[in-house]
Amino acid sequence: MATKILIIGACGQIGTELTLRLRELHGADNVIAGDIREGSEELMQSGPFEIVDATDKSAVEDLCMYYEITDVYLMAAMLSATAEKFATKAWNLNMNSLFTVLNLAKSGKIEKIFWPSSIAVFGPTTPKHDTPQHTIMEPTTVYGISKQSGERWCEYYFNNNDVDVRSIRYPGLISWKTLPGGGTTDYAVDIFHAALKEGSYECFLHKDTELPMMFMDDAIRATIEIMEAPADKVKQRSSYNLSGMSFTPEQIAVAIKKRIPEFEITYNPDFRQAIADSWPSSIDDSEATKDWSWNRSFDLEQMVDEMIDNLK
Ligand code: SER
């Protein structure tokens, strides 16, 4: 059967660029964008779009049946900072949407699932540097708890119900097409908009907070590569560590200042500092490299060039 794709959460930061890329690869009519709200003009004009609430089980099922969907990318989620404020809503959205698609695959109604996990699955007791694939995982955030539980369910459905679900632990994602919303790593996107508009930025994290990050082009490529890999190459059915670059607010500010000399940064940490402090500072992604040949291409300097060139 031909691949027919549904992206739930297609108008978000990852969903937008993922949808556009999948449409290039598979043809616009084979990639259905779904979200609770309309997205950017570029996205809306690039192919079919449906309003869908990721927590509405029968609506998701109806869409899959109507379009004869084979692959679902479930990108709808509440991110770390917002989830701390709306714990029950975050749990319901992040978990129930996952159960819906896992059960659709279990009953043979769809064939393959992509579900994003995050560095938020790690916690303060996890080794902070070069965090290994298999290690202590005691997440302390609402978002991290939902992603950790989701990983366990993905692996469970793979082992017990033959569900072909594939997942990546995304680092903080940096992109210029669509803004992120409600995450702790969002400062690394906001900083570019502020630098170009105001020439200054007040950062909500401390200057020395080092976090794993990745340029969106790498994240999209990784997502497509893991989905295209032969099933027997995808050995980790919880989720794969994935690494791009690591930097602190001070280091990204220095890189921006090289290109925009008048740029100034100040620091005023808020509740998101505690979330960031509970996460690793760098990630060992050698399992992804070994199993499906993952290699990152963007480093900090290249990413800063791309961001400034495109946002200007
Ligand atoms: N970027 C996300 C966040 O900050 C982590 O997956 O919430």
Side-chain angles (χ1 to χ4, degrees):
M1 210 191 342
T3 303
K4 200 91 199 261
I5 295 171
L6 172 65
I7 298 144
I8 303 172
C11 299
Q13 188 200 11
I14 308 172
T16 300
E17 296 198 35
L18 184 61
T19 304
L20 294 171
R21 181 76 188 119
L22 286 168
R23 283 179 172 163
E24 282 171 10
L25 292 170
H26 296 275
D29 289 342
N30 293 318
V31 181
I32 316 304
D35 207 306
I36 42 165
R37 58 180 169 89
E38 294 197 349
S40 69
E41 209 181 305
E42 186 186 12
L43 178 92
M44 298 305 292
Q45 285 176 358
S46 67
F49 175 82
E50 295 278 352
I51 292 281
V52 63
D53 175 349
T55 63
D56 185 341
K57 193 170 149 228
S58 50
V60 171
E61 178 166 353
D62 288 350
L63 266 187
C64 289
M65 296 297 98
Y66 179 77
Y67 285 103
E68 299 178 343
I69 297 298
T70 57
D71 300 8
V72 173
Y73 292 69
L74 176 57
M75 311 311 286
M78 195 186 289
L79 294 190
S80 61
T82 314
E84 289 305 300
K85 296 180 177 157
F86 306 101
T88 309
K89 205 173 166 198
W91 177 259
N92 287 339
L93 169 60
N94 296 358
M95 299 312 297
N96 292 344
S97 58
L98 176 60
F99 274 121
T100 297
V101 294
L102 287 172
N103 285 326
L104 284 173
K106 178 182 170 181
S107 59
K109 291 178 172 146
I110 57 173
E111 291 172 12
K112 214 195 266 186
I113 298 167
F114 179 82
W115 178 76
S117 187
S118 159
I119 52 163
V121 292
F122 300 115
T125 52
T126 302
K128 239 183 161 32
H129 300 282
D130 279 329
T131 302
Q133 173 73 34
H134 300 287
T135 185
I136 301 169
M137 297 167 92
E138 297 178 323
T140 49
T141 64
V142 171
Y143 177 68
I145 293 167
S146 75
K147 288 294 178 188
Q148 165 66 356
S149 311
E151 283 192 9
R152 296 290 85 226
W153 281 115
C154 288
E155 193 185 88
Y156 182 91
Y157 272 74
F158 173 77
N159 285 334
N160 295 284
N161 304 111
D162 262 341
V163 168
D164 188 356
V165 53
R166 304 167 183 212
S167 176
I168 284 169
R169 293 172 183 150
Y170 289 127
L173 296 180
I174 299 159
S175 65
W176 52 270
K177 278 205 174 168
T178 307
L179 283 169
T184 301
T185 56
D186 295 9
Y187 91 83
V189 177
D190 298 344
I191 194 170
F192 288 100
H193 291 267
L196 288 164
K197 238 205 255 152
E198 280 109 41
S200 64
Y201 179 64
E202 185 180 275
C203 184
F204 57 75
L205 296 182
H206 188 264
K207 69 181 173 60
D208 294 327
T209 309
E210 187 182 20
L211 288 169
M213 301 277 187
M214 178 175 279
F215 189 52
M216 186 61 85
D217 294 36
D218 273 350
I220 299 298
R221 187 167 53 80
T223 307
I224 289 174
E225 285 175 5
I226 194 177
M227 285 299 272
E228 283 180 350
D232 63 347
K233 298 273 184 207
V234 185
K235 311 261 188 235
Q236 305 300 329
R237 293 296 181 149
S238 50
S239 190
Y240 276 93
N241 275 10
L242 197 71
S243 170
M245 60 190 94
S246 284
F247 57 78
T248 64
E250 188 173 40
Q251 287 165 336
I252 193 177
V254 167
I256 292 173
K257 223 172 147 63
K258 270 196 229 163
R259 285 121 176 131
I260 308 174
E262 62 280 13
F263 176 63
E264 293 296 339
I265 185 166
T266 52
Y267 302 94
N268 188 12
D270 65 15
F271 74 100
R272 289 169 281 194
Q273 184 65 46
I275 301 176
D277 286 341
S278 77
W279 291 349
S281 52
S282 58
I283 300 286
D284 174 354
D285 62 359
S286 49
E287 294 293 322
T289 304
K290 178 165 67 85
D291 292 352
W292 41 277
S293 311
W294 163 248
N295 265 306
R296 72 104 201 249
S297 61
F298 286 86
D299 62 16
L300 175 63
E301 297 297 333
Q302 290 164 312
M303 177 275 283
V304 172
D305 278 338
E306 287 287 316
M307 287 298 286
I308 292 179
D309 283 353
N310 284 292
L311 285 176
K312 246 195 210 149

